[in-house]
Amino acid sequence: MSSHDGTQETHESQESQGWVAGDPPVVVITGATGGLGAAIATACAERGFRLALVARTRSALEHLAAALPAQPGSTVTTVCADVSDMAAAAIAMQKIYADFGRIDVLIDNAGVEGPIGLTWEIPVEQWWEAVRVNTLSTVATVHAVIPLMARHGGGRVISISSAAGRHRWPTLSSYSVAKAAGITFIENIASEARPYGVLAFSLHPGIVATGLTTSALDETDSTDPWRRRRALWLREQIEAGRAVPLPRAVNSVLELATGPAADLSGRYLTVEDVALSR
C-alpha cells in the first residue's frame, strides 16, 4: 500500500508518544474472555498496561479481571457490551475513554465462528447473521475509537484476523467472507487514519490451541460430517507442526501494540511477518 507524503512524520510521532516510551498504554480488548483474548489480557497485565476488557458476559469478565496478575499502577476495568451493536460499541468506547482519559490500543478480537456446512444448505439468515456479527464487531469498535485516539495524537488498532479471509474456508464461508471484509476494512482505515497518527493491522495469529480451535477439536467424533471434517483437519495441522504456540501469537500482538510498526500499517500479517519485521 502506498503512503502519503507525511508517512515519515507520522512514524516519528508514533514512536515519540509517551505510552510507547514510558507511560503504560491504555489497551482495549474486545472478545476479552475468549481463549486468545484472555491470554492477551494476561500478558498485558503482566506488563502493567492499563486494561479495558470488553465482552458480552459480565460474569466471565469479572472472573477474568479477578484472575489477572496485578502490577503497581496498573488498572483494569470491564465493560459488558455486544460490540456488533453500533450504539453499544460507541457507548463502550466512550465509557473507557472517560475512565482512562485516553485509548492507545484497540485489540479487536470479538467474533463468532458461524454456521458450518455447505453454504446452500445453511439458512441464509444464519449465514448473514455470522457475517453481520463478525464484520460489525470490527467496524463498530474502530468507528468509535479512532476519533478518541486522534484526540491524543494517535493509537493502534490490531484486528485479529484469519487466513480464511485471505484465501478460503469451504463449509465455513460466512466466517471466511467476514474476515475478508475485515482485512479490506483495515487496509482502508490504515490509509485514512495515518494522518491522524493511527496505525491499523490485521493479524492472523495462526492455528492456536485455544478458544474456537479447542472447541472444534472436541468434535472429531461429531455426527455432523462437516464438524467432524473441520476437527480432523485442525488435528492434522497441529500434528504436522503447523500450529502456533499461544505465547508466540500473544507476543506478536504485543509487538504490534507497542513496538516500531509504522511500516506495517495497513497490512495483513502473520506471526512470521511480525517476527521478520523486528
Side-chain angles (χ1 to χ4, degrees):
M1 179 179 293
S2 62
S3 59
H4 65 86
D5 294 339
T7 298
Q8 183 62 36
E9 179 181 341
T10 301
H11 175 84
E12 292 172 354
S13 67
Q14 279 286 338
E15 298 307 316
S16 64
Q17 286 186 49
W19 61 268
V20 173
D23 295 339
V26 175
V27 179
V28 178
I29 306 173
T30 67
T33 56
L36 180 59
I40 295 169
T42 300
C44 289
E46 289 172 347
R47 288 159 177 77
F49 295 173
R50 293 171 287 176
L51 283 174
L53 309 176
V54 185
R56 293 181 294 181
T57 306
R58 187 173 304 280
S59 59
L61 277 169
E62 292 172 351
H63 177 77
L64 174 60
L68 292 178
Q71 299 292 345
S74 64
T75 306
V76 178
T77 189
T78 61
V79 179
C80 188
D82 178 356
V83 293
S84 70
D85 180 299
M86 294 291 289
I91 292 169
M93 296 305 113
Q94 289 286 350
K95 180 184 185 305
I96 294 165
Y97 185 84
D99 287 346
F100 289 100
R102 62 187 299 134
I103 295 176
D104 299 307
V105 180
L106 167 65
I107 299 172
D108 160 45
N109 181 58
V112 297
E113 184 177 53
I116 302 171
L118 296 174
T119 301
W120 57 90
E121 294 181 350
I122 296 169
V124 172
E125 295 79 8
Q126 292 181 20
W127 188 94
W128 179 248
E129 177 62 9
V131 174
R132 185 196 70 80
V133 168
N134 283 318
T135 304
L136 276 181
S137 293
T138 297
V139 173
T141 49
V142 172
H143 186 275
V145 83
I146 285 185
L148 304 176
M149 289 179 171
R151 292 180 189 176
H152 293 275
R156 303 188 185 195
V157 173
I158 303 165
S159 182
I160 302 301
S161 188
S162 170
R166 198 61 182 263
H167 305 289
R168 62 179 182 174
W169 200 353
T171 71
L172 285 101
S173 63
S174 61
Y175 182 84
S176 181
V177 168
K179 289 301 182 181
I183 291 168
T184 302
F185 177 71
I186 291 297
E187 289 175 348
N188 282 278
I189 284 297
S191 180
E192 293 177 19
R194 185 179 284 269
Y196 302 93
V198 177
L199 308 180
F201 319 89
S202 295
L203 175 66
H204 170 45
I207 298 173
V208 183
T210 189
L212 293 176
T213 299
T214 302
S215 299
L217 288 171
D218 291 337
E219 296 185 317
T220 53
D221 296 323
S222 174
T223 56
D224 183 323
W226 303 116
R227 290 184 176 276
R228 186 169 64 250
R229 175 183 171 182
R230 175 203 52 178
L232 291 172
W233 179 83
L234 285 169
R235 176 167 290 179
E236 289 172 2
Q237 298 304 302
I238 293 171
E239 291 176 350
R242 300 190 183 99
V244 175
L246 181 58
R248 187 180 182 200
V250 171
N251 285 339
S252 295
V253 175
L254 296 182
E255 181 73 18
L256 291 176
T258 61
D263 293 342
L264 300 178
S265 187
R267 289 181 52 187
Y268 163 84
L269 302 164
T270 65
V271 293
E272 289 79 12
D273 294 327
V274 176
L276 289 171
S277 72
R278 293 171 187 161

